[in-house]
Amino acid sequence: LDSFWTEAIFANAMDSINRMRHCLPGISATSPELPALHELWNLAHAFAQKVALLPHKALTQIAGSLDMLLPDLNQTPNQLNPSTIRTVGQALDFLATITKPDCLSRLTDPASASLLVVDDEDGARQFITSALQLAGLKNECAESPARALAMLKSSRASLIFPDVGLPQMNAFEPVAQVREVQPF
């Protein structure tokens, strides 16, 4: 891919991400708006297709994971809940961060990373881990912060995907404990 197309894709990346963010209020409504969910899926799919042309595996895999999560949510919109919607929003925030070329150049191959998904909702864990697996990312999951901390004592995680609204404690409380187990 020549530099013209690479620059064009990066130039439009934030616009694409912002258009996806614009769909979130519609799917966050008390009765989720299915057209907003379908539009989000279409936008995520188009974005994933574009970035797949770039030589940045990390960006391709994260965009691909989001692209793979959204068809499942479109087929089973009853799985939409605050946790799932938060995960989609956080994925968009992460994409906005790593879409900057200077950030991408510092990222390593995501296939070498080990991810840990922490969520008390079985459906959310299944959706997230399935999307990550389809994107070729190794991951494990834990249903509670206590289980995650126990897992981290015996294995290292490159990235942790916590649900911020866990009933036992929010995801921010065990950060100090995680840093004790696995200093960064």
Side-chain angles (χ1 to χ4, degrees), residues 94-174:
F94 185 67
L95 281 172
T97 300
I98 68 168
T99 301
K100 299 175 180 98
D102 62 318
C103 181
L104 280 172
S105 66
R106 294 178 301 189
L107 295 177
T108 60
D109 182 357
S112 64
S114 173
L115 293 89
L116 177 60
V117 176
V118 185
D119 200 308
D120 62 322
E121 295 180 29
D122 189 45
R125 273 195 322 274
Q126 288 176 357
F127 275 127
I128 296 165
T129 58
S130 293
L132 292 170
Q133 287 170 349
L134 286 170
L137 299 169
K138 299 180 292 189
N139 65 85
E140 294 183 281
C141 60
E143 65 283 349
S144 69
R147 176 74 181 122
L149 289 170
M151 292 170 74
L152 291 171
K153 287 180 182 176
S154 63
S155 67
R156 185 160 181 82
S158 305
L159 182 63
I160 301 171
F161 282 98
D163 176 4
V164 295
L166 295 164
Q168 302 90 352
M169 64 177 85
N170 74 41
F172 302 109
E173 291 174 33

Side-chain angles (χ1 to χ4, degrees), residues 34-124:
L34 297 182
L37 181 58
H38 191 71
E39 177 68 10
L40 177 59
W41 175 25
N42 286 332
L43 291 168
H45 183 70
F47 183 75
Q49 295 294 310
K50 287 177 193 171
V51 299
L53 300 171
L54 300 173
H56 299 287
K57 198 169 183 177
L59 180 59
T60 300
Q61 287 186 304
I62 297 300
S65 294
L66 183 61
D67 183 31
M68 290 177 201
L69 171 67
L70 292 170
D72 287 339
L73 290 175
N74 269 275
Q75 291 174 356
T76 54
N78 62 324
Q79 292 292 326
L80 275 173
N81 58 49
S83 176
T84 308
I85 294 166
R86 215 173 15 256
T87 299
V88 171
Q90 289 169 342
L92 293 173
D93 291 345
F94 185 67
L95 281 172
T97 300
I98 68 168
T99 301
K100 299 175 180 98
D102 62 318
C103 181
L104 280 172
S105 66
R106 294 178 301 189
L107 295 177
T108 60
D109 182 357
S112 64
S114 173
L115 293 89
L116 177 60
V117 176
V118 185
D119 200 308
D120 62 322
E121 295 180 29
D122 189 45

